[in-house]
Amino acid sequence: MDRAGWQRLGYTALSSIAAVAIAFVLGGLLLQFTGHNALSVYGQMFDYGTQSTQLLDAAKRAGPLILSGCAVAIGFKMNLFNIGVEGQYRVAMLAAAVIGSSLVLPGPLQILLILVVAMVFGAGWAWIPAVLKVRRGVNEVISTIMLNAIAVGLTAFLYNTYFRFEKVDSTGRTSLDVKTEPLPENGWIGSMISTGNGSLSWYFVLAVVVAFLVWLLLFRTTFGFQLRSSGLNPVAAQTAGIDSRKMIVRSMMISGAIAGLVGMQALMVDEHSYRPGLATGLGFTGIAVALLGRNHPGGIVVAALLFGFLQASSGILQIQDVPKSIVDIIQGVVVLTVVVVNGLVGRWLDKRTARGTSKALDTGKVLT
């Protein structure tokens, strides 16, 4: 990377840090207006969140957000707004839970089977809006929103039809159990770190490895160059021989495949079966994570850890009679300030580059 590239990266990182700082200031003002001491609340959140148990919890919460953010970012790089991560991972979770509990393979092959099934169904669900866009010109925002609603309705229908079982408890009473059959134990993802009060599974490592592979794909392969070129300037990319229609389908399917892994922590680490209401909202939070991380895998990992820390440290708020929703407000404000601040910084950088180019041309310097 040349000097100009490093400068742009530095300004981008500083603008994101400034946006987070502004969000915390606005959140502090909100706390003050509602009768709470902002500095005291933030101090207690920091003290509570930096305990070893909460740090493990923050990393655990960050795992799905890393994958969700990467899935969204691949769409953004292709100039596609994939809002459908929520529906893609829900369909993938259901398929992985059903197939994973029906087919039993030896040893770690069971884990591989479940992950592959999740990626295939996630990619398949994302293939629908991609084909609608390239063949019928349907905007992917509309189609992915509709597919989210269809995914929610479809999974609810399947639960009510096929996954309602009566169970008998120790007292002999019967009750209704609405969930898929449990996965076999060799399909569970185990703990990497385990203490008396908390644990962190190998799923977090999987998320970081996927983020690294996404970085390799986007910035170190010809396919990644073609994808980013098509996203920045589709006309120029097509003139250079890049088929933008194929790139749309491929990028959406890769995005969907990664989205399919988002719910695997809930399925393979926590619950081992899929039930209604399990792991919801991760797709929408992933959009915020991708925006804060500027669609770069490294930035997404940092942003996901920040969001995980905020969520883990918010547990102390209830004890202090502060609504936990203040954390959701801060996360929302972070997204807004990131969009605004990065937009302003981007325009300033473009003008700065234009002035530098004009000056170089006026003085007759050779541009490199």
Side-chain angles (χ1 to χ4, degrees), residues 289-320:
V289 170
L291 287 172
L292 180 58
R294 298 303 308 273
N295 301 319
H296 189 286
I300 288 171
V301 171
V302 175
L305 288 170
L306 173 64
F307 274 48
F309 176 80
L310 287 174
Q311 292 171 2
S313 61
S314 65
I316 193 67
L317 296 180
Q318 285 183 320
I319 301 175
Q320 303 299 323

Side-chain angles (χ1 to χ4, degrees), residues 46-70:
F46 182 79
D47 291 340
Y48 180 72
T50 51
Q51 296 176 11
S52 59
T53 302
Q54 302 309 319
L55 288 176
L56 287 177
D57 188 28
K60 179 181 179 180
R61 292 171 183 269
L65 298 182
I66 292 172
L67 294 169
S68 183
C70 286

Side-chain angles (χ1 to χ4, degrees), residues 332-354:
V333 175
V334 165
V335 176
L336 286 176
T337 52
V338 163
V339 172
V340 173
V341 172
N342 285 339
L344 293 173
V345 172
R347 281 198 288 275
W348 176 74
L349 286 173
D350 290 340
K351 289 181 180 177
R352 183 170 177 267
T353 304

